[in-house]
Amino acid sequence: MSGRQGGKLKPLKQAKKKGPADDEDETDIAFKQKQREEAAKLKALAETAKKGGPLGGGGIKKSGKK
């Protein structure tokens, strides 16, 4: 018998019951839809960033002196 098996076993946690407070109204649904749209926009921007190329046009400016 190893040290981890000794003693009383703890019971597994019970799944939480869903109550009437879990119902969503129109504002919650609209908020979640807005979050999905923003996530899709961010994903599209991430894909364009992976392709390479200039994103903002800024960066290190070099002087004309050599």
Side-chain angles (χ1 to χ4, degrees), residues 40-59:
K41 287 179 185 177
L42 287 175
K43 187 175 179 182
L45 285 174
E47 288 177 8
T48 57
K50 284 182 184 178
K51 291 180 184 177
L55 293 177

Side-chain angles (χ1 to χ4, degrees), residues 7 10 18 24-25 35-36 47-49 51 57-58 60 66:
K10 293 183 179 179
K18 292 186 177 180
E24 298 177 348
D25 56 355
Q35 280 186 332
R36 279 189 226 115
E47 288 177 8
T48 57
K51 291 180 184 177
I60 300 173
K66 285 194 175 184

